[in-house]
Amino acid sequence: MRQAEALESAYGKDRDPPMFKKILIANRGEIACRVIKSARKMGIKTVAVYSDADRDALHVEMADEAVHIGPAPANQSYLLMDKIIAACKATGAEAVHPGYGFLSEREAFPVELQKNGIVFIGPNPGAIAAMGDKIESKKAAAAAKVSTVPGYMGEIKDAKHAVEIANQIGYPVMIKASAGGGGKGMRIAYDAKEAAEGFELARSEAKSSFGDDRCFVEKFIENPRHIEIQVLGDKHGNVVYLGERECSIQRRNQKVLEEAPSPLLDEKTRKAMGEQAVALSKAVGYDSAGTVEFVAGQDRSFYFLEMNTRLQVEHPVTELVTGVDLVEQMIRVAAGEKLPFKQSDIKLKGWAVESRVYAEDPFRNFLPSIGRLVRYRPPAEGSKDGVTVRNDTGVFEGGEISMYYDPMIAKLVTHAPTREEAIDAQAAALDAFYIDGIQHNVPFVSAMMQHPRWRSGKISTGFIKEEYPEGFTPRAPEGKDLITLAAVAGTIDHLGNTRRRDITDQMSGHSVNFAKRRIVRIGSAEVELEVLGAIPGPYYVSILDGDGQPTKTMEITSEWWPGEPVWFGTVDGADVAVQVRPISNGMTLSYRGIQAPTYVYTQREAELAALMPVKLAADMSKFLLCPMPGLVKAVNVSEGQEVKAGDNLAIVEAMKMENILKAERDGKVKKVAAKPGDSLAVDAVILEFA
Amino acid sequence: MKDIIDELEKRRDNARLGGGRARIDAQHAKGKLTARERIELLMDEGSFEEFDMYVEHRCTDFGMEKTKVPGDGVVTGWGTINGRVVYVFAKDFTVMGGSLSETHAKKITKIQDMALKNRAPIVGVFDAGGARIQEGVDALGGYGEVFQRNVLASGVIPQISVIMGPCAGGDVYSPAMTDFIFMVKDTSYMFVTGPDVVKTVTNENVTAEELGGAKVHTTKSSIADKAYENDLEALLQMRRLMDFLPSSNKAGVPVIPTHDSPDRLDHSLDTIIPDNPNKPYDIKELILKVVDEADFFEIQEAFAKNIVTGFARMEGSTVGIVANQPMVLAGVLDSDASRKAARFVRFCDCFDIPILTFVDVPGFLPGTAQEYGGLIKHGAKLLFAFAEATVPKVTVITRKAYGGAYDVMSSKHIRGDVNYAWPTAEIAVMGAKGAAEILYRSELSDPVKIQTRIDEYKKRFANPFVAAERGYIDEVITPSATRKRLCRALNMLRNKTLENPWKKHDNIPL
């Protein structure tokens, strides 16, 4: 409050304090870009900071000024307060927005900034201290009569201690870094062995990610839902809640899909949670944007989990249902302004759904993928017919997903009057989201949009594990989607055939035709059809029955041309976007979570294709392959050693995550092909079994 | 009259059955198609006209007079691929194992003669057991006749061989003299002498697949230009290839109209060169982003991957592309890469296909293995090929162009027509570190001093401007505008006329 009082005495109570002229964003990637956008809208100049790895990054390009702050590793650049403060001084930035992660929840950061006369665009250090630390926040929450989960609030000495506590609480338990967030430094244990292992891993990840290795243990609630309340406070004692977000769709405790509002909550529960969140915030003098996270049972019981004293990754869904620009409000309250609205002004309108687009391979258990974005074509943003598409990103085509930072590529958000419409809009936007060069989870989130359980809203944080126990496989092409894909494939093939007949040097006097009747193979499905029409369309695709009689005719329009990554067009008037990746004699089509090799044959070609032998992929089960590009941290076995299923074989580090590779079955190690320190490509052989 | 026409149909049907239903089924069981099915897939539907369907052999030894099958083990004729005339012969394994007799050879040579006379490409499909032993020297004579025609047609019409089954002994030399050889994985193999003879002569135990399978010939021997999963894929890809190739050395390249704008900029190319000069990038990304519709038909994809060769189109017209691949051995030129690219450049020059060259080459590969293997002469082949080529030659140096390899890669000095460099280009005798360490050998012990020297050298030579000052580079271009620049340059060169001095033929260092 000191700062606000000072501002008030300088400018008088009734006048708004002056807005900042220039702010610095102590972050990178999409969130830095996001903050720059709001600042620009408010007429505030922006300063970006960047490491060696981000020299050409989008946030550097977007900001008015940029300051280099060190080498690629975050602990030598983005985590260094001195460098940030020096950058502020060099550029004359009056305030710092920390984004999320990095320094955003370090109590010492606002303290240091204040010492140097720089405003922190975030909560006061006291609130961070009270709420930022997971253990302290539990105590504060309990004091504010917020319902909490049983757990051990003290500091844990070692793995043995962790196991003792876990035994007392009862399994399953969650081991979590005190300074953590975003799933890093977090482990769930179902028995004592896992508790010991989990503690060690959580601690080492906490140390490398946050520079703070303290961890705590608490009861893990089964079948839970993750619901959080967005709060916003100012320096004048006002706090409001901006409704909730549900973020139950997670993998390895990392959020994948988020939405606002939650399909679980009723008005009564929403109000109860909101009011508890506000009470807690007021108790600690919270004066910025923050999030109170709850774990909720399917019966709408809820327990306080933790408070994030920063802007959340998934804040856009709240912005779209409330119409509040959270970043703008954070900047305004940091400058000392009062909140321009009261609780009664906050109305939730429509539904917003967000997909986090990650550089990770959904077909390989979501392992991270790094490298060059050879192609990056996000869907068009904007509002039309009550549907809004927004894409928050920090990358561009030709940019790099680096191994040093979070593997998030973008956050795709859609908003519409109802949940179903928002989900459909998300599905359509994902169809057009084309990324190549790295593996990414667009096929997965696309498939999710069609998943009946997700669409029904009956979800929990175990959703992905429960629905995809054997790992993710694309949706099978069937029903209406199969017909749409076949029609698009038929049209693409027809376009190719038509223009190849325009080649020069043809024999004269004899026009060459081609069969209009085609058989489309999409994965293991087959559709027979006939395509008519000339470039540039419209084209007419008839689906044929077994006797070659048309059963349905569709009108297709499209200006697509070979070489373009996404086929945009209409099928019987409905907008369709299908991703097209050429393969030998065919194409891989991606649409609505379906991703299938597609071939369009003449009848004769199809007959002869049926004679072709089915070839089995080489048996690689005797090898332990590196599942992602990464650094070998340890090889736990030696040549000739017998191993049991579940034994740890090796540890590969990628994206700051240590991945333990376990034996899938009993066996004997024949050869060790990699050693600690090796930098391996995906599918490189680590071990060979006898 | 009607019965006479019926009789014709009966004879045709009989001939089309080849070696009979049982043998056709056996062929299918092996995952292979019959000769006529293969031709059906290769040609436009209904366009194939078969010649010499009723030809039978004339051998009377070893009871052969009793085993006569119309067609005699090879199906020949002509048809069209997307309306363009192509001649074809396909060995019919169902008829006496496709073995070559005197009359069988005559059927092939007839088609070869027609293809040459009428200036249209010829495709040979191989799936046969070699010479028909019962015929002895008549079969050998037949081979010779085929070989002679391969040689005369070379450089006049494209000749393509597709190996879709066994191809051994005398059968291998005809494909070997054609422009491209394609194989089918698991079902085809090629060798001069088979595993049995190998065992007898050298005592080596080797399977047909290990001795001459598709993998061996696409990765080790470089005999084959590409291998496909099955007959269908191979033949449909041959249709795709034919769309790139001119019908003859006088026909000019075929053109397929496109909507892919010649002015299309690709800003992602402005970040393709990594900050670290030792970090690789994929040259195929550049190729795919520059050419029409990202359509690139790669030749010898699996061999000497440090150089990339293949066909693409610019504004609808075929071009040949040669590019160093920094992803493999830093894109260095070694014996294999030089031979591979030299043969490709000569094909393009034969058939009037303009050549685009993308250069990022750190030099020639040092070492005893290379020198003993004849790097000097193999490297000279590529130099020779580029230097003698009279087709339009446009070159883009993206990064390194060091030493003699700079000269070789279609430089201005060997008649490169338009030579562009990206701002990231470094045209120098060698890398800055190597150069400074030689020039200032006495300062080697002082790391600070030598680093200063390296930086000095880098500043002076690690850029395209020293070369540009001398006119060795015509223009320094922004990477994102590469397609636009190349399209303009190729258009400007459309009427290029250049002839080498008359000679019977040159004497390339073979």
Side-chain angles (χ1 to χ4, degrees), chain A residues 372 374-375 398 400 499-501 503-507 512 561-563 584-585 601 604-605 609 612 615, chain B residues 40 82-84 185-186 229-230 232-233 237 243 247 254-255 257-259 266 268 271 285 289 293:
Chain A
R372 180 174 157 81
V374 171
R375 283 273 175 244
E400 190 95 10
R499 47 190 301 264
R500 276 194 290 277
R501 265 34 171 217
I503 195 169
T504 55
D505 188 36
Q506 293 189 51
M507 190 169 70
V512 179
W561 196 256
S584 188
N585 288 337
Y601 291 136
R604 186 63 177 142
E605 284 166 359
M612 293 295 101
K615 295 186 182 181
Chain B
E40 269 184 277
N82 288 323
R84 298 165 71 217
K185 289 177 192 168
D186 305 322
E229 289 302 324
N230 55 47
L232 177 81
E233 189 196 7
Q237 285 295 307
D243 284 350
S247 291
V255 181
T258 179
H259 287 188
D266 196 317
S268 66
T271 56
E285 181 188 336
K289 286 181 173 178
E293 300 166 11

Side-chain angles (χ1 to χ4, degrees), chain A residues 163-177:
Chain A
V163 171
E164 268 171 37
I165 295 161
N167 288 341
Q168 278 166 23
I169 297 172
Y171 294 96
V173 297
M174 175 144 56
I175 301 146
K176 218 167 166 185

Side-chain angles (χ1 to χ4, degrees), chain A residues 346-362:
Chain A
I346 305 298
K347 298 271 183 294
L348 304 185
K349 192 169 156 266
W351 212 285
V353 173
E354 173 177 287
S355 297
R356 292 195 191 184
V357 177
Y358 280 111
E360 60 182 21
D361 190 345

